[in-house]
Amino acid sequence: MRRDRLFLATTLTAIFTADLYFILLPKLRSMGRGSRQFCLCGPNNLTLPGQEGLATPPLSNWTSESPLVGAITDPTDGGSKLDRLFSHPLYNIQTPVLGPEERLLQAEQLMEYYRRKVSRWERHMKLYSEAAAISNITVTEHEVTFDPNASWLKFHLGINRYALYSRDDPTIPQLLKDMEIMTVVSADYTQDEKALKGSCDCTQVVKPSGHHLKLALKMRNFAKAMFKPMRQERDDETPEDFFYFIDFQRHNAEIAAFHLDRILDFRRVPPVAGRLVNITREVLLVTHNEDLRSVFFTSPANNTCFFAKCLYVCKTEYAVCGGPDLLEGSLSAYLPGLSIAPRISIPNPWIRSYTFNGREEWEVNPFYCDTIKQMYPYNSGNRLLNIIDMSIFDFLIGNMDRHHYEIFTKFGDEGFLLHLDNARGFGKHSQDELSILAPLSQCCISFVCRSTLLRLQLLAQPGFRLSDVMRESLEGDPLQPILTEPHLLALDRRLQKILKVIQRCVRRLGENEVITKDFVKATARPQTATDRRKSR
C-alpha cells in the first residue's frame, strides 16, 4: 500500500513539474515580456515591399509541405528560379538608411590605411630583392598598383551593421570574377598557421596539419584572399570513423557555403570563388617566406607538391599536389585587417568536445538553453537568435566544427555573427547530424525570426526548391560542379527536418511564443528579375 502511495505521489509530482515547465512558465514569461512587438532579428525597422498577406502571415495549421504565406505562389513559367527568388518580396526587405555609425569603415579611413600598407610593401620588396640577389634566390616580381576603385575595397566599404554586403550590391559579382583572374604577387602562410609554428605537440594535438593547409595570397592590386587547396574528390564522403575535428577541409565546401549563405539571405560569409592555381608560378616563385619555400618538393609522379610546416606534421603523405602544377582551390576574400576593423572571437555556447570521449553539458542537459538565456549576452538582443540562424546554416551544410564565432567590435552586442571557416561542411550527404540543431530544438521560446522562417518555407516549395537554386547559383563558379547531386538533394531533406523542428515547437507552445516578429510595414516595391540582372 505504501508503495502504491509513493508511486502515485511521484507520478503527480512529475505531472505538476511538466505542467509548470511547459505550460505555466512559458505563459509567465510571455506576460513578463509585456507589450514587446518586435525584436532586432535584423535592422531596427525592417520594412517589406507591399504584397498582401506577407507582413503578417498566418502560421496556424501549417505543415512543412505547405506554403507558410498565402501570397507566395510557385512559379511555373520556367526560366531562372534564382532570379525569381531574389526578386521575391522576402528578398527585398528594406533596411534603414545607413549612417556613419552603421558602416564598418569610412572611405577616408580605409584609403589612408592602405596608403600606409602600400608604402610598407614597397620598402619590404626593395629590401627583399636586395637580399634575394645576394643569396642567389629567384623571385618573380610583378608590377603592383593600388586601385582605390577596386572591387575588394568596395566590398570592405559596404560592410555594415546588418550584413557583409547588401542584397543587390554589384560589387560582389565583380569581386568573384576578379578573384578568379587576378595576378598573384605574393604567397604566405596565414597568421593562424604561423601561430602554430613551434607550439605543436604530437602528444596533445589530434588533427594533422596537412588536413588544415591554407595560404594567404596577395594580388596585384593589393587584394588578399585565403587559398584552401583541394583535399578530397567531390564524390568522396568523410569516412565513418573520422571525428569531426580530424576531417578534411574541403575547398568546394567553402564555395558552396558562400552561395548557400547568400540564398538564405544571411550574407555573413565573405565572397568565395573557385580557382585553378599554378602552385609553382603563383605560390613557390612569388613567396617571400623561406619556410613555405622549404616545404615544396617534386613527387615520384613528377608533380609539384607542398605541405604545412608544423612540428607535429612535416610529412609528404599529408601534402597536396598539382597536376603537375595546377591545383584546384577556393579563394575567400579577406575581411579588413584587425588593426582597422577589430573582431573578437567568442566560444560557441554549443561548442563540442574536442576529445575522443568527452561530452559537453548541452549534449546531456535538455534544458541547457534555459541556462544560456540567463547569461550575458544571450539574455537580451539578437545574439541568441543569431546563434540559431548559424545552427540552421551549419545543419544544412553538415558542419560540426563551429567551436567559435566572430563579431566586429564596432557593432557591439547587436552585431551580426560572421560565418567563417566552413570547409568542414558537405562531408556526408547520407547523414544528417541533428545534434547541430541543438540551439534550435532546445530554445523553443522566441527562437526564430519570422523573416528567416518565411524564407525557409519559400525554399521548401517546388518553384523555389533549395537544391535547384543552389545548383543554378553554383553553375557560375569556374570549378563547377561544386557539389554532387546527393549533396544538393541532402539540402532539401535537411530543410524539411528544420521546418519540422519549428513546427513541433509551434504546436507545443503556440506561434506567439516561438516566432519573433521582425516586419514593420510595407513601403517599397519588390525588385524585379530585370533589375536584379542589371545589378550583376
Side-chain angles (χ1 to χ4, degrees), residues 64 264 392 395-396 432 437 452-453 455-461 464-467 489-502:
S64 58
L264 294 173
I392 290 173
F395 177 69
L396 287 171
D432 302 333
L437 283 179
T452 296
L453 179 54
R455 291 189 190 100
L456 294 176
Q457 272 285 351
L458 182 65
L459 292 166
Q461 296 185 41
F464 299 97
R465 184 177 288 115
L466 179 55
S467 60
L489 297 178
L491 290 172
D492 295 330
R493 183 181 69 242
R494 292 166 184 167
L495 177 57
Q496 293 295 334
K497 291 184 178 181
I498 293 169
L499 292 172
K500 286 177 181 177
V501 170
I502 300 173

Short mmCIF file of all heavy atoms in Angstrom, two decimals, residues 64 264 392 395-396 432 437 452-453 455-461 464-467 489-502:
data_model
loop_
_atom_site.label_atom_id
_atom_site.label_comp_id
_atom_site.label_asym_id
_atom_site.label_seq_id
_atom_site.Cartn_x
_atom_site.Cartn_y
_atom_site.Cartn_z
N SER A 64 5.16 21.41 -43.00
CA SER A 64 6.41 21.66 -43.70
C SER A 64 6.27 21.51 -45.20
O SER A 64 7.14 21.90 -45.96
CB SER A 64 7.50 20.69 -43.20
OG SER A 64 7.10 19.36 -43.39
N LEU A 264 20.14 32.02 -48.41
CA LEU A 264 19.38 32.16 -47.17
C LEU A 264 19.21 33.61 -46.74
O LEU A 264 18.50 33.90 -45.78
CB LEU A 264 20.07 31.37 -46.05
CG LEU A 264 20.11 29.85 -46.22
CD1 LEU A 264 20.97 29.23 -45.12
CD2 LEU A 264 18.71 29.25 -46.22
N ILE A 392 21.14 26.68 -38.02
CA ILE A 392 20.38 26.28 -39.22
C ILE A 392 21.33 26.18 -40.42
O ILE A 392 21.29 25.21 -41.18
CB ILE A 392 19.26 27.30 -39.49
CG1 ILE A 392 18.17 27.17 -38.42
CG2 ILE A 392 18.66 27.10 -40.88
CD1 ILE A 392 17.11 28.25 -38.49
N PHE A 395 23.64 23.14 -39.99
CA PHE A 395 22.95 21.87 -40.20
C PHE A 395 22.77 21.59 -41.69
O PHE A 395 22.94 20.46 -42.15
CB PHE A 395 21.58 21.88 -39.51
CG PHE A 395 20.79 20.62 -39.73
CD1 PHE A 395 21.18 19.42 -39.17
CD2 PHE A 395 19.65 20.64 -40.53
CE1 PHE A 395 20.45 18.25 -39.39
CE2 PHE A 395 18.92 19.49 -40.76
CZ PHE A 395 19.32 18.30 -40.19
N LEU A 396 22.45 22.63 -42.45
CA LEU A 396 22.27 22.44 -43.89
C LEU A 396 23.56 22.00 -44.57
O LEU A 396 23.54 21.17 -45.49
CB LEU A 396 21.75 23.73 -44.52
CG LEU A 396 20.28 24.07 -44.23
CD1 LEU A 396 19.95 25.48 -44.72
CD2 LEU A 396 19.34 23.05 -44.89
N ASP A 432 22.45 13.10 -41.68
CA ASP A 432 22.02 14.40 -41.18
C ASP A 432 22.31 14.44 -39.68
O ASP A 432 21.69 13.70 -38.91
CB ASP A 432 20.53 14.63 -41.44
CG ASP A 432 20.17 14.53 -42.91
OD1 ASP A 432 21.05 14.80 -43.74
OD2 ASP A 432 19.02 14.18 -43.23
N LEU A 437 21.49 20.99 -34.66
CA LEU A 437 20.29 21.82 -34.45
C LEU A 437 19.94 21.99 -32.97
O LEU A 437 18.86 22.47 -32.66
CB LEU A 437 19.09 21.20 -35.18
CG LEU A 437 19.02 21.41 -36.69
CD1 LEU A 437 17.79 20.73 -37.25
CD2 LEU A 437 19.01 22.89 -37.04
N THR A 452 13.39 34.74 -41.29
CA THR A 452 14.15 33.51 -41.53
C THR A 452 13.21 32.35 -41.83
O THR A 452 13.42 31.58 -42.77
CB THR A 452 15.03 33.17 -40.31
OG1 THR A 452 16.00 34.19 -40.12
CG2 THR A 452 15.75 31.84 -40.50
N LEU A 453 12.16 32.22 -41.04
CA LEU A 453 11.22 31.12 -41.21
C LEU A 453 10.51 31.21 -42.56
O LEU A 453 10.32 30.21 -43.25
CB LEU A 453 10.20 31.13 -40.06
CG LEU A 453 9.11 30.06 -40.11
CD1 LEU A 453 9.73 28.67 -40.24
CD2 LEU A 453 8.24 30.13 -38.87
N ARG A 455 11.59 32.53 -45.32
CA ARG A 455 12.49 32.17 -46.41
C ARG A 455 12.71 30.66 -46.45
O ARG A 455 12.81 30.07 -47.53
CB ARG A 455 13.82 32.91 -46.26
CG ARG A 455 13.70 34.40 -46.51
CD ARG A 455 15.07 35.08 -46.57
NE ARG A 455 14.90 36.52 -46.56
CZ ARG A 455 15.05 37.29 -45.50
NH1 ARG A 455 15.40 36.76 -44.33
NH2 ARG A 455 14.87 38.60 -45.57
N LEU A 456 12.81 30.04 -45.29
CA LEU A 456 12.96 28.58 -45.27
C LEU A 456 11.75 27.91 -45.90
O LEU A 456 11.88 26.95 -46.67
CB LEU A 456 13.16 28.09 -43.83
CG LEU A 456 14.45 28.52 -43.13
CD1 LEU A 456 14.46 28.05 -41.69
CD2 LEU A 456 15.68 27.99 -43.87
N GLN A 457 10.55 28.41 -45.57
CA GLN A 457 9.34 27.86 -46.16
C GLN A 457 9.30 28.10 -47.66
O GLN A 457 8.89 27.23 -48.43
CB GLN A 457 8.10 28.49 -45.51
CG GLN A 457 7.63 27.78 -44.26
CD GLN A 457 6.92 26.46 -44.61
OE1 GLN A 457 6.65 26.17 -45.75
NE2 GLN A 457 6.64 25.68 -43.59
N LEU A 458 9.75 29.26 -48.09
CA LEU A 458 9.77 29.56 -49.51
C LEU A 458 10.69 28.59 -50.25
O LEU A 458 10.35 28.08 -51.33
CB LEU A 458 10.23 31.01 -49.73
CG LEU A 458 10.28 31.52 -51.17
CD1 LEU A 458 8.88 31.57 -51.76
CD2 LEU A 458 10.93 32.90 -51.22
N LEU A 459 11.87 28.32 -49.67
CA LEU A 459 12.85 27.44 -50.30
C LEU A 459 12.44 25.98 -50.26
O LEU A 459 13.08 25.13 -50.90
CB LEU A 459 14.21 27.62 -49.63
CG LEU A 459 14.88 28.98 -49.86
CD1 LEU A 459 16.04 29.18 -48.90
CD2 LEU A 459 15.35 29.09 -51.31
N ALA A 460 11.38 25.66 -49.51
CA ALA A 460 10.86 24.29 -49.48
C ALA A 460 9.82 24.04 -50.56
O ALA A 460 9.42 22.90 -50.77
CB ALA A 460 10.26 23.99 -48.10
N GLN A 461 9.39 25.09 -51.26
CA GLN A 461 8.38 24.95 -52.30
C GLN A 461 9.02 24.53 -53.62
O GLN A 461 10.16 24.92 -53.92
CB GLN A 461 7.64 26.26 -52.48
CG GLN A 461 6.84 26.66 -51.24
CD GLN A 461 6.02 27.91 -51.51
OE1 GLN A 461 5.44 28.07 -52.56
NE2 GLN A 461 6.00 28.81 -50.53
N PHE A 464 10.76 27.15 -55.87
CA PHE A 464 11.97 27.81 -55.36
C PHE A 464 12.86 26.80 -54.63
O PHE A 464 13.60 27.17 -53.73
CB PHE A 464 11.61 28.94 -54.40
CG PHE A 464 10.78 30.03 -55.00
CD1 PHE A 464 9.40 30.05 -54.84
CD2 PHE A 464 11.36 31.05 -55.73
CE1 PHE A 464 8.62 31.06 -55.37
CE2 PHE A 464 10.59 32.07 -56.28
CZ PHE A 464 9.22 32.07 -56.10
N ARG A 465 12.76 25.54 -55.01
CA ARG A 465 13.42 24.47 -54.25
C ARG A 465 14.89 24.79 -54.01
O ARG A 465 15.62 25.20 -54.92
CB ARG A 465 13.27 23.15 -54.99
CG ARG A 465 13.84 21.95 -54.22
CD ARG A 465 13.61 20.64 -54.95
NE ARG A 465 12.19 20.28 -54.90
CZ ARG A 465 11.41 20.20 -55.97
NH1 ARG A 465 11.89 20.53 -57.16
NH2 ARG A 465 10.15 19.85 -55.86
N LEU A 466 15.32 24.58 -52.76
CA LEU A 466 16.68 24.95 -52.36
C LEU A 466 17.73 24.28 -53.23
O LEU A 466 18.70 24.92 -53.65
CB LEU A 466 16.90 24.59 -50.89
CG LEU A 466 18.27 24.89 -50.29
CD1 LEU A 466 18.65 26.35 -50.47
CD2 LEU A 466 18.32 24.50 -48.82
N SER A 467 17.58 23.01 -53.51
CA SER A 467 18.58 22.32 -54.33
C SER A 467 18.65 22.92 -55.73
O SER A 467 19.75 23.02 -56.31
CB SER A 467 18.26 20.82 -54.42
OG SER A 467 16.97 20.62 -54.99
N LEU A 489 20.61 17.29 -53.05
CA LEU A 489 19.34 16.73 -52.58
C LEU A 489 19.31 16.66 -51.06
O LEU A 489 18.22 16.75 -50.46
CB LEU A 489 19.13 15.35 -53.20
CG LEU A 489 19.00 15.32 -54.73
CD1 LEU A 489 18.84 13.90 -55.23
CD2 LEU A 489 17.83 16.19 -55.18
N ALA A 490 20.47 16.50 -50.43
CA ALA A 490 20.52 16.48 -48.96
C ALA A 490 20.06 17.82 -48.38
O ALA A 490 19.49 17.87 -47.29
CB ALA A 490 21.92 16.14 -48.48
N LEU A 491 20.30 18.91 -49.11
CA LEU A 491 19.85 20.23 -48.64
C LEU A 491 18.33 20.25 -48.50
O LEU A 491 17.79 20.79 -47.52
CB LEU A 491 20.30 21.31 -49.61
CG LEU A 491 21.80 21.62 -49.65
CD1 LEU A 491 22.11 22.58 -50.79
CD2 LEU A 491 22.27 22.23 -48.33
N ASP A 492 17.61 19.69 -49.48
CA ASP A 492 16.14 19.66 -49.40
C ASP A 492 15.68 18.82 -48.22
O ASP A 492 14.75 19.19 -47.50
CB ASP A 492 15.57 19.08 -50.70
CG ASP A 492 15.85 19.97 -51.91
OD1 ASP A 492 15.94 21.20 -51.72
OD2 ASP A 492 15.97 19.43 -53.02
N ARG A 493 16.32 17.68 -48.03
CA ARG A 493 15.94 16.79 -46.92
C ARG A 493 16.18 17.46 -45.57
O ARG A 493 15.33 17.41 -44.67
CB ARG A 493 16.75 15.50 -47.03
CG ARG A 493 16.40 14.46 -45.98
CD ARG A 493 17.25 13.22 -46.14
NE ARG A 493 18.66 13.45 -45.81
CZ ARG A 493 19.65 13.32 -46.67
NH1 ARG A 493 19.43 12.99 -47.92
NH2 ARG A 493 20.90 13.52 -46.27
N ARG A 494 17.30 18.12 -45.43
CA ARG A 494 17.62 18.78 -44.16
C ARG A 494 16.72 19.98 -43.91
O ARG A 494 16.35 20.26 -42.76
CB ARG A 494 19.09 19.20 -44.15
CG ARG A 494 20.04 18.01 -44.12
CD ARG A 494 21.48 18.39 -44.45
NE ARG A 494 22.33 17.21 -44.48
CZ ARG A 494 23.56 17.17 -44.97
NH1 ARG A 494 24.10 18.28 -45.47
NH2 ARG A 494 24.25 16.05 -44.98
N LEU A 495 16.36 20.68 -44.97
CA LEU A 495 15.44 21.81 -44.81
C LEU A 495 14.11 21.34 -44.25
O LEU A 495 13.53 21.99 -43.37
CB LEU A 495 15.24 22.50 -46.17
CG LEU A 495 14.25 23.66 -46.20
CD1 LEU A 495 14.63 24.74 -45.20
CD2 LEU A 495 14.17 24.25 -47.61
N GLN A 496 13.60 20.21 -44.73
CA GLN A 496 12.34 19.68 -44.20
C GLN A 496 12.47 19.33 -42.72
O GLN A 496 11.55 19.57 -41.94
CB GLN A 496 11.91 18.44 -44.99
CG GLN A 496 11.52 18.72 -46.43
CD GLN A 496 10.27 19.57 -46.54
OE1 GLN A 496 9.43 19.59 -45.64
NE2 GLN A 496 10.16 20.32 -47.64
N LYS A 497 13.62 18.83 -42.31
CA LYS A 497 13.81 18.49 -40.91
C LYS A 497 13.85 19.75 -40.03
O LYS A 497 13.35 19.74 -38.90
CB LYS A 497 15.09 17.68 -40.74
CG LYS A 497 14.98 16.28 -41.35
CD LYS A 497 16.22 15.44 -41.10
CE LYS A 497 16.02 14.05 -41.68
NZ LYS A 497 17.19 13.15 -41.45
N ILE A 498 14.46 20.82 -40.54
CA ILE A 498 14.46 22.08 -39.80
C ILE A 498 13.03 22.57 -39.59
O ILE A 498 12.63 22.97 -38.49
CB ILE A 498 15.28 23.14 -40.55
CG1 ILE A 498 16.75 22.77 -40.57
CG2 ILE A 498 15.11 24.53 -39.92
CD1 ILE A 498 17.60 23.61 -41.50
N LEU A 499 12.24 22.55 -40.65
CA LEU A 499 10.86 23.03 -40.57
C LEU A 499 10.02 22.17 -39.62
O LEU A 499 9.13 22.68 -38.94
CB LEU A 499 10.24 23.06 -41.97
CG LEU A 499 10.84 24.10 -42.92
CD1 LEU A 499 10.30 23.92 -44.33
CD2 LEU A 499 10.56 25.52 -42.43
N LYS A 500 10.32 20.89 -39.57
CA LYS A 500 9.57 20.02 -38.64
C LYS A 500 9.91 20.33 -37.19
O LYS A 500 9.05 20.26 -36.32
CB LYS A 500 9.85 18.56 -38.98
CG LYS A 500 9.15 18.10 -40.25
CD LYS A 500 9.50 16.66 -40.61
CE LYS A 500 8.79 16.26 -41.90
NZ LYS A 500 9.15 14.88 -42.33
N VAL A 501 11.18 20.66 -36.92
CA VAL A 501 11.55 21.06 -35.56
C VAL A 501 10.79 22.32 -35.15
O VAL A 501 10.24 22.42 -34.05
CB VAL A 501 13.07 21.30 -35.46
CG1 VAL A 501 13.43 21.93 -34.12
CG2 VAL A 501 13.83 19.98 -35.63
N ILE A 502 10.72 23.30 -36.05
CA ILE A 502 9.98 24.53 -35.76
C ILE A 502 8.51 24.24 -35.60
O ILE A 502 7.84 24.78 -34.70
CB ILE A 502 10.21 25.56 -36.89
CG1 ILE A 502 11.70 25.89 -37.01
CG2 ILE A 502 9.40 26.83 -36.63
CD1 ILE A 502 12.03 26.77 -38.21
#
